[in-house]
């Protein structure tokens, strides 16, 4: 769907920063919808077509059904190591798919982002069981911690509150006339930078929700700096930009009160 298109487009921009060409980046993405892998020649929406894979890649693939390339077929034949789910289809990452993913990578990444909970592509328990506790996972819905072979694991909830408030604040502070893909990339990197190596070793992918105000501040700063550096926003020195952002954040303070008639 369009969420997958947006994610894929941003991933391509990020991969280009790592030195890949647009075409090389596209070769790392395998778009799968309800009808299976999107390949040239099948009916697809206009926005999906730039990511359709050439049919020639299937020439040496082992398929369960020659008429349809399933998610399992794709994970097995393309040696997929990362799954990003925005399908809205609960259970789309079934046990077979997860076990195959675990064969492809020592630390597979599973982002089951659909919500509410019953629409999640898999549960953390299913992911940890299928991957013998080795996977990194984040979900779109809240899940409680899970006891795994490697100890208790806290489940990162990949919620838009990590990025959207900061993007809006950074855009307003910088007075940029538009939001660019590069702003989202810098926002994502700002969030990622707040997870230290110790947390990553424990499978944590996102900052603690208690630090959300600091996350929003860092995201706003990253967006405003990108706007400045790309000549779209106001030109302030780094320290000035940080100060303006901090001063622009509303701090909710609720005074204690007592009903006038209370003793």
């Amino acid at each position: 769907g369009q969420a997958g298109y947006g994610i894929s487009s941003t991933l391509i921009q990020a991969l280009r920063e790592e030195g890949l060409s647009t075409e090389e980046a596209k070769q790392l993405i395998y778009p799968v919808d309800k009808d299976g892998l999107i390949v040239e020649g099948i009916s697809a929406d206009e926005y999906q077509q730039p990511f359709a894979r050439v049919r020639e890649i299937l020439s040496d693939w082992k398929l369960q059904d020659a008429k349809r390339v399933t998610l399992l077929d794709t994970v097995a034949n393309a040696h997929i190591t990362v799954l990003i789910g925005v399908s809205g289809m609960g259970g789309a990452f079934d046990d077979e798919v997860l076990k195959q993913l675990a064969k492809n990578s020592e630390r597979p990444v599973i982002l089951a982002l659909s919500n509410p909970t019953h629409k999640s592509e898999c549960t953390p328990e299913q992911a940890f069981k299928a991957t013998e506790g080795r996977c990194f996972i984040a979900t779109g819905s809240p899940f409680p911690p899970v006891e795994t072979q490697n100890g208790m694991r806290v489940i990162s909830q990949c919620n838009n509150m990590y990025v959207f408030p900061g993007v809006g604040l950074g855009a307003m502070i910088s007075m940029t006339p538009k939001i660019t893909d590069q702003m989202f990339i810098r926002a994502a990197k700002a969030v990622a930078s707040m997870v230290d190596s110790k947390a990553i070793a424990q499978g944590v992918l996102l900052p603690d929700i208690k630090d959300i105000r600091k996350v929003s501040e860092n995201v706003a700063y990253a967006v405003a700096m990108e706007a400045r550096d790309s000549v779209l926003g106001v030109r302030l020195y780094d320290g000035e930009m940080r100060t303006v952002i901090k001063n622009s954040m509303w701090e909710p303070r609720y005074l204690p009160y007592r009903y006038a008639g209370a003793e």
Side-chain angles (χ1 to χ4, degrees):
Q2 293 187 357
Y5 168 80
I7 291 169
S8 298
S9 298
T10 306
L11 281 173
I12 285 175
Q13 293 295 326
L15 289 167
R16 288 179 61 185
E17 281 194 5
E18 299 299 318
L20 276 66
S21 68
T22 298
E23 194 56 39
E24 287 171 333
K26 282 186 178 182
Q27 297 309 307
L28 299 177
I29 298 173
Y30 291 79
V32 178
D33 68 4
K34 59 184 176 59
D35 297 318
L37 179 67
I38 298 173
V39 295
E40 292 177 345
I42 69 169
S43 177
D45 291 326
E46 183 177 354
Y47 67 86
Q48 294 175 317
Q49 291 173 2
F51 294 98
R53 302 308 303 266
V54 295
R55 192 169 290 276
E56 284 74 14
I57 68 168
L58 307 179
S59 60
D60 59 350
W61 283 24
K62 295 180 181 179
L63 304 177
Q64 298 170 308
D65 182 348
K67 296 180 181 179
R68 181 173 181 267
V69 185
T70 66
L71 176 60
L72 178 58
D73 290 329
T74 305
V75 172
N77 289 281
H79 304 291
I80 299 298
T81 59
V82 178
L83 285 176
I84 303 176
V86 284
S87 66
M89 296 177 63
F93 299 165
D94 61 25
D95 196 51
E96 281 189 287
V97 167
L98 294 172
K99 286 184 175 180
Q100 181 59 55
L101 187 74
K103 293 178 182 178
N104 297 343
S105 173
E106 182 62 29
R107 298 301 302 272
V109 177
I110 301 166
L111 305 178
L113 304 183
S114 293
N115 56 54
T117 308
H118 71 275
K119 290 188 176 182
S120 182
E121 284 78 10
C122 68
T123 66
E125 291 92 340
Q126 291 168 330
F128 287 129
K129 183 178 179 180
T131 65
E132 300 176 335
R134 294 186 282 112
C135 69
F136 287 105
I137 184 168
T139 57
S141 298
F143 283 93
V146 176
E147 184 67 46
T148 75
Q149 297 93 321
N150 301 318
M152 187 66 72
R153 297 277 290 274
V154 175
I155 310 304
S156 298
Q157 185 185 355
C158 191
N159 191 290
N160 59 16
M161 75 174 113
Y162 279 103
V163 168
F164 282 180
V167 168
L169 177 59
M172 288 188 291
I173 293 300
S174 67
M175 294 189 288
T176 177
K178 61 181 178 180
I179 307 294
T180 65
D181 286 342
Q182 198 60 35
M183 291 177 188
F184 280 112
I185 291 172
R186 286 191 59 169
K189 288 182 176 181
V191 174
S193 70
M194 295 184 69
V195 184
D196 60 30
S197 57
K198 182 179 178 181
I200 293 173
Q202 296 172 344
V204 176
L205 295 181
L206 292 163
D208 195 298
I209 198 66
K210 66 180 176 60
D211 297 322
I212 194 63
R213 286 184 62 81
K214 188 62 177 178
V215 172
S216 293
E217 177 192 323
N218 288 346
V219 168
Y221 178 74
V223 169
M225 293 298 288
E226 171 59 29
R228 184 201 70 178
D229 295 346
S230 57
V231 199
L232 289 172
V234 294
R235 301 191 65 77
L236 295 175
Y237 291 113
D238 297 8
E240 290 178 307
M241 192 76 81
R242 178 73 72 173
T243 299
V244 171
I245 287 169
K246 285 184 176 180
N247 291 341
S248 300
M249 295 180 71
W250 175 63
E251 182 71 42
R253 292 196 177 101
Y254 300 97
L255 298 176
Y257 70 92
R258 182 185 292 249
Y259 176 58
E263 293 294 332

